[in-house]
Amino acid sequence: MEMIEPVDISRPSLMLVDGMAVLFRAYYATAYGGSIRRMKDGTPTNAVYGYMRYFWDAVETFKPTHIACCWDLGSKTFRSEQFTDYKANRAECPEDLVPQFQMMKDVMDAFGIPNISVEGYEADDCIGTLSRLYREEYDVMVLTGDHDMLQLVHDHTKVIIMKKGHGNYAVYTPEYLQEERQILPDQVIDIKGLMGDTSDNYPGVRGIGEKTAYKLVQQYGSIEGILGNMEELAKGVRTKIEADLDMLHLSRKLATIDCDAPLACDIESCFFDPDRNQVSTLMEKLEMTSVVRLVGM
């Protein structure tokens, strides 16, 4: 794990929270043992409670001045139009988690944190768009568990990958990405194009795994570099790429975060200055007074 660097107080900072990733992580971390936290009326709240523990630890660790939370809408996206099997392998959302999506957005509202989503786009695209929009004036921090986000790493964009356990992070800067994986942020997309993504259900080039994908991109720089030097490749690798050229290009397209999603987000609305009464009132309603104590309100 990379050392967490001191916060640069000379520049304001914007934390972009991958709401879906954090909420799913919180749900499964707490539901694993079979004991689901519920309100007196039976409404499940385990994911919301777990989310707040993860979220508040990140706030205290990285001390953002501004925060926004990005969400998927669960509807069809431009990627599912390009490839009908995109994410088709995903299991149904657990029944106990369904009511907690809106509940979590209500909690973010109570903290004065904007909930951002766009029809036809994923949370990743919202995060990518906001990071590109504000990275010249703000130190952007992306809080997620999704390694696809590493393509957003930039001199003023850190990608904070949540690892197992509370308070355990890998903080990716361009230097750390180079040190750990010997690649540049843009090359994350080329690697995904080659190896595909089983969780998002697109295949890449059949027969090329992670190890070969990294080796090829490190050696030739990009998919274009690989295709321009096909005669140098081992016959087996060359044959696989030639057989799956269309899927290679489509997979790279599917892996690319769209940083031009049509969204509006006033940065002033992201300034993090929660109202104690709003937070306390909602947490009491959700029977989570321990969260009020956790956040020191």
Side-chain angles (χ1 to χ4, degrees):
M1 188 184 91
E2 192 195 19
M3 294 293 291
I4 294 170
E5 299 171 359
V7 176
D8 179 1
I9 58 172
S10 65
R11 283 168 61 94
S13 54
L14 170 64
M15 178 176 280
L16 300 172
V17 181
D18 184 350
M20 305 300 289
V22 180
L23 195 64
F24 270 94
R25 174 180 289 262
Y27 176 81
Y28 286 110
T30 53
Y32 182 74
S35 176
I36 300 282
R37 181 189 179 103
R38 297 179 188 276
M39 293 163 61
K40 290 189 182 75
D41 67 1
T43 304
T45 58
N46 64 312
V48 174
Y49 180 75
Y51 181 112
M52 285 309 302
R53 290 189 64 208
Y54 285 129
F55 169 75
W56 198 254
D57 184 87
V59 167
E60 292 198 312
T61 302
F62 299 101
K63 298 178 172 53
T65 58
H66 296 67
I67 305 176
C69 189
C70 297
W71 301 92
D72 294 341
L73 287 178
S75 53
K76 292 286 184 185
T77 68
F78 70 90
R79 291 183 183 85
S80 53
E81 290 174 6
Q82 292 171 346
F83 183 56
T84 52
D85 286 338
Y86 182 72
K87 291 191 176 181
N89 58 339
R90 294 284 175 99
E92 285 291 311
C93 182
E95 193 177 326
D96 279 330
L97 181 54
V98 174
Q100 298 188 70
F101 286 107
Q102 187 56 51
M103 205 182 296
M104 195 64 244
K105 290 180 183 180
D106 292 342
V107 171
M108 292 290 96
D109 281 338
F111 274 86
I113 296 169
N115 289 298
I116 311 291
S117 54
V118 181
E119 193 76 41
Y121 293 81
E122 297 180 48
D124 297 22
D125 304 311
C126 297
I127 288 171
T129 300
L130 291 172
S131 69
R132 184 166 292 181
L133 197 58
Y134 291 117
R135 69 190 184 189
E136 297 309 320
E137 298 170 61
Y138 292 79
D139 283 329
V140 176
M141 301 176 281
V142 177
L143 181 68
T144 185
D146 183 357
H147 287 77
D148 290 357
M149 297 280 201
L150 295 179
Q151 64 189 268
L152 300 178
V153 168
H154 178 264
D155 287 340
H156 290 301
T157 304
K158 293 185 173 100
V159 174
I160 302 165
I161 298 290
M162 303 167 66
K163 302 182 84 173
K164 192 172 181 180
H166 283 275
N168 192 10
Y169 308 101
V171 183
Y172 285 89
T173 59
E175 295 76 22
Y176 185 55
L177 184 62
Q178 182 66 41
E179 177 191 326
E180 191 200 61
R181 305 191 182 200
Q182 294 80 55
I183 57 170
L184 301 170
D186 284 349
Q187 292 175 318
V188 171
I189 302 166
D190 293 298
I191 288 166
K192 300 290 281 189
L194 285 161
M195 63 180 276
D197 188 317
T198 53
S199 67
D200 285 342
N201 203 43
Y202 58 85
V205 176
R206 285 167 295 183
I208 289 190
E210 183 175 25
K211 189 176 176 182
T212 302
Y214 267 88
K215 184 179 174 185
L216 289 170
V217 171
Q218 286 163 348
Q219 185 169 353
Y220 296 104
S222 65
I223 285 172
E224 285 73 24
I226 296 164
L227 296 179
N229 291 278
M230 292 284 274
E231 72 285 349
E232 295 181 13
L233 304 184
K235 186 182 177 185
V237 172
R238 186 170 71 245
T239 302
K240 288 170 186 172
I241 291 174
E242 287 170 344
D244 259 341
L245 261 182
D246 289 344
M247 186 51 73
L248 169 63
H249 291 302
L250 177 57
S251 294
R252 178 167 65 168
K253 203 171 179 181
L254 295 170
T256 303
I257 292 174
D258 188 336
C259 294
D260 290 303
L263 60 81
C265 177
D266 174 18
I267 192 67
E268 293 310 315
S269 70
C270 302
F271 183 67
F272 188 57
D273 185 24
D275 181 285
R276 186 185 199 287
N277 290 333
Q278 278 185 209
V279 172
S280 298
T281 300
L282 182 59
M283 288 306 170
E284 283 171 19
K285 183 181 170 186
L286 297 178
E287 299 169 20
M288 285 191 202
T289 50
S290 59
V291 170
V292 179
R293 292 194 297 275
L294 172 72
V295 302
M297 292 186 129

